[in-house]
Amino acid sequence: MLVGLCWALLASGANAAACDAGASDACYFGFEPPAAQGRLHYYASIPPGTAAAAPTRALIALHGHPRDAAKTFDAALRAVRQRGRTGDTLVVAPVFQVDATRAARCSTPGVPAAQPGDLLWTCASWLEGAPSVNGAGLGAFAALDALVAELVRQWPGLRVVTVAGFSAGAQMVQHAIAFAAPAPAGVALRYVVADPGTWLYFDAFRPAPADPATCPEVNRWKYGLEALPAHLPRSAEQARSAYAAAEIHYLEGALDSGEGKGIAYRALDKSCAADAQGPFRLQRGQAYVAHEGTLRAAPRELVVVPGCAHDVACVFPAPEARAALLGAPP
């Protein structure tokens, strides 16, 4: 088992520096969320139990639809390294595993496959917060909450935790904010939403309105707050309030538009509910943030990252993204 390998290396101190350099099997760890009856795995830049490490910040980076957690981890780690923050900032990238019989369309070479006892979702269900298909049916949002709590348990000096998602991971983060558990005591939670395919709207506005009579899903979950799944812990009004109160930062690649190379257009949601939000990811993000700004006394900022299409390895390490991902210097 990979976890056994990790802990064997940890005992010798061999992998601490390696994990600070990039994703590898030796930087892949796991834990069992309370009452989950299964394990959730994650890459970490500092191995659990490293006595000399005392990070005060954590950056959790959520992978996209191909579950490219190693690439996402490396992109986030590069951003931290360029800022000279590897000493105080723990980088973590969880993997929402899918059973091998379902994973052909959402897997990335080099990322460990599901192991016996791992919590499992489908290619699409994890980003909507759905319950795992095995174990005790732990919701993916609850699994993310459990990961935050586990990191604070492992590294009690953490004071700021940033949860950042790219593409499908950004969809997950943007939805999860409205249903997240309260932050652990003494910890500030921040969120970064980068280049999602679609957005959760909290009212009936859409940039390109669709008639609910012909597009009934336009205001339903996961595009709106109608027909919320029973496993989510809040009402629509409670979800609105939680989202309004959160610290959220938005990123979009300036070139994440159209159908050209590097846009992942084939993976873009083109349903009527998605098209009501705009034609492409950049326009959908701009329209969402502009509308949100009309509802808030202090509008949130959208940072458009120049030179980047739909690529976490371009967006996350970009200088323009650093303030969102890493916050103000300590």
Side-chain angles (χ1 to χ4, degrees):
M1 291 284 289
L2 288 171
V3 173
L5 170 64
C6 292
W7 284 106
L9 289 170
L10 174 61
S12 67
N15 68 329
C19 293
D20 190 33
S24 70
D25 287 356
C27 309
Y28 189 68
F29 307 92
F31 76 106
E32 184 169 314
Q37 299 177 19
R39 294 179 68 78
L40 181 72
H41 284 84
Y42 59 93
Y43 291 98
S45 61
I46 303 172
T50 304
T56 58
R57 293 172 175 251
L59 173 58
I60 301 174
L62 273 294
H63 58 67
H65 180 263
R67 297 187 301 111
D68 49 350
K71 179 181 180 180
T72 305
F73 175 76
D74 285 347
L77 184 58
R78 186 174 156 207
V80 170
R81 191 184 299 118
Q82 289 175 345
R83 190 76 172 264
R85 298 280 292 277
T86 54
D88 72 355
T89 302
L90 166 72
V91 179
V92 168
V95 182
F96 284 85
Q97 287 288 9
V98 175
D99 184 85
T101 61
R102 308 184 188 199
R105 298 184 64 183
C106 62
S107 293
T108 296
V111 176
Q115 301 292 319
D118 285 356
L119 293 169
L120 303 173
W121 285 267
T122 71
C123 287
S125 68
W126 60 271
L127 64 93
E128 298 183 25
S132 62
V133 299
N134 65 341
L138 181 71
F141 296 164
L144 187 57
D145 292 338
L147 176 61
V148 171
E150 172 69 7
L151 298 183
V152 173
R153 185 185 73 82
Q154 291 279 0
W155 291 277
L158 289 175
R159 293 295 174 264
V160 179
V161 175
T162 299
V163 183
F166 184 83
S167 192
Q171 287 191 54
M172 182 192 188
V173 170
Q174 198 253 338
H175 288 65
I177 294 167
F179 301 95
V187 175
L189 271 176
R190 307 171 66 255
Y191 298 95
V192 179
V193 179
D195 293 78
T198 60
W199 296 76
L200 171 63
Y201 272 77
F202 293 86
D203 60 16
F205 170 85
R206 297 295 183 277
D211 184 353
T214 57
C215 185
E217 63 266 36
V218 68
N219 291 315
R220 294 178 183 170
W221 182 260
K222 65 183 174 76
Y223 307 98
L225 289 175
E226 293 180 2
L228 288 177
H231 66 269
L232 294 177
R234 292 186 179 131
S235 67
E237 190 53 45
Q238 290 170 333
R240 288 188 192 95
S241 296
Y243 195 89
E247 180 182 345
I248 308 171
H249 302 264
Y250 300 124
L251 300 173
E252 289 283 348
L255 306 180
D256 201 350
S257 178
E259 304 177 24
K261 185 177 180 180
I263 306 301
Y265 179 72
R266 290 181 61 185
L268 182 65
D269 187 343
K270 305 173 190 69
S271 66
C272 62
D275 285 345
Q277 300 185 9
F280 306 110
R281 294 183 187 87
L282 174 60
Q283 289 79 10
R284 291 175 184 180
Q286 290 172 324
Y288 180 87
V289 177
H291 173 61
E292 184 189 72
T294 68
L295 307 176
R296 294 178 56 84
R300 298 181 175 117
E301 180 184 10
L302 169 65
V303 175
V304 178
V305 182
C308 292
H310 195 65
D311 185 3
V312 68
C314 182
V315 173
F316 274 13
E320 295 80 4
R322 289 176 190 165
L325 287 172
L326 302 177

